[in-house]
Amino acid sequence: MTILSGIGSSHGIVAGQIHFFDNAAKPEKARKALDRAAENERFEHARAAAVGMLGELRERAAREVGGDEAMIFDTQRMILEDPDFIDAVAKLILEDGYTAEYAVQEAGHRFARVFWRMDDAYLRERGADIVDLCNGLIRQLRGLKEQELCEARGQWVIAAHRFLPSEVIRLERGRVLAIVTSGGTRDSHASILARTMGVPAVVGVGKGLFALREGEISVVDGYSGRVFIHPDERTLKAVREQCHGPRVLIPAIE
């Protein structure tokens, strides 16, 4: 049995098979654009599309989890509409000649570093939100469609580096048993949404997550922040006894 330790960011205990969701952003190399004006126009088109998508997600979140949590997408839209952010990207494209993808990546990291230097943990996490948002915008620029969290049939424990709020709100609650991530914090917008949606989650378990194999049996304990891989019967019994609260689902595991 293997135990991964992290932070319980959404309470609940479930058992299920691991399914990996490959949403890790690949760093953009510093490449020059052939036509600076056309490249900036490409950025503006992608930004407008992303703003529209966030509006749709906000409406969905308001219906499914309530207005307070839906404001997460208002915050993200404000970043994409921030004149300072737009000007920073445009400068990297029009003056420095970089591609839109690289410009978005660099501008995002510059803005994120302001938050990462802050003492408050909640505000520091907003820096990660900016990077995540920019990664989504880069996917838009690359013409990549939004991935399905789980294309395989059945119910799964979804594992990834970290999740965007837009990915969490698209969860099919009947199919996603829990979320486990190598990075992230309890204060991330994705964690906040998972709690509101009642999806157990453990974040920050580290790179050991990626040593696991697709389909391995796990018990995700969103209370203690532990993930048990191939748990034995004694462990299952102990976990059951430790928690008598809601959202506890530990079916028999063969």
Side-chain angles (χ1 to χ4, degrees):
M1 179 176 67
T2 301
I3 302 176
L4 301 178
S5 296
I7 301 166
S9 64
S10 181
H11 289 169
I13 302 178
V14 298
Q17 291 177 282
I18 293 282
H19 173 71
F20 286 99
F21 178 56
D22 183 13
N23 63 348
K26 297 175 176 60
E28 281 291 327
K29 295 181 180 179
R31 293 180 292 116
K32 295 291 185 174
L34 297 176
D35 184 327
R36 298 185 183 191
E39 196 70 7
N40 193 58
E41 186 175 349
R42 195 165 69 89
F43 159 65
E44 285 294 350
H45 280 305
R47 188 181 66 83
V51 168
M53 182 192 72
L54 288 172
E56 294 173 4
L57 290 173
R58 192 220 184 281
E59 292 179 5
R60 177 171 177 172
R63 290 194 306 270
E64 296 185 7
V65 297
D68 289 344
E69 283 69 25
M71 290 177 64
I72 288 171
F73 297 102
D74 290 334
T75 302
Q76 292 198 326
R77 189 184 70 237
M78 288 171 61
I79 295 170
L80 290 182
E81 294 177 336
D82 186 327
D84 290 336
F85 174 74
I86 296 170
D87 289 347
V89 175
K91 181 179 183 297
L92 285 162
I93 296 172
L94 296 173
E95 296 184 20
D96 300 333
Y98 290 115
T99 61
E101 290 88 344
Y102 182 77
V104 168
Q105 173 184 277
E106 290 305 295
H109 278 92
R110 290 177 189 177
F111 276 71
R113 279 194 287 270
V114 174
F115 289 91
W116 288 335
R117 296 190 187 105
M118 294 181 178
D119 294 330
D120 185 271
Y122 179 83
L123 292 176
R124 281 200 305 273
E125 187 59 29
R126 302 292 71 78
D129 285 338
I130 291 173
V131 172
D132 285 345
L133 179 62
C134 288
N135 288 338
L137 182 53
I138 290 170
R139 286 206 296 268
Q140 187 91 31
L141 283 162
R142 290 173 176 167
L144 300 176
K145 295 181 180 179
E146 291 295 330
Q147 292 177 269
E148 290 292 332
L149 275 175
C150 186
E151 296 177 351
R153 293 183 178 181
Q155 295 179 305
W156 299 85
V157 171
I158 306 297
H161 170 57
R162 57 185 295 144
F163 284 99
L164 298 171
S166 59
E167 292 165 342
V168 175
I169 200 64
R170 290 190 179 98
L171 290 175
E172 293 184 48
R173 299 192 212 184
R175 298 180 61 204
V176 177
L177 296 171
I179 291 171
V180 181
T181 63
S182 62
T185 72
R186 180 178 171 80
D187 294 317
S188 73
H189 280 155
S191 290
I192 293 169
L193 280 176
R195 286 196 292 275
T196 305
M197 295 169 67
V199 178
V202 174
V203 301
V205 300
K207 295 181 180 179
L209 178 63
F210 301 108
L212 305 180
R213 295 188 301 273
E214 179 80 9
E216 288 198 274
I217 298 296
S218 67
V219 169
V220 179
D221 184 349
Y223 293 91
S224 70
R226 292 179 295 175
V227 181
F228 303 88
I229 310 302
H230 293 299
D232 54 32
E233 193 56 44
R234 185 172 66 176
T235 300
L236 288 175
K237 181 180 179 181
V239 170
R240 287 191 185 100
E241 291 174 349
Q242 286 171 10
C243 180
H244 303 285
R247 288 174 282 175
V248 179
L249 173 61
I250 308 181
I253 297 177
E254 298 180 358

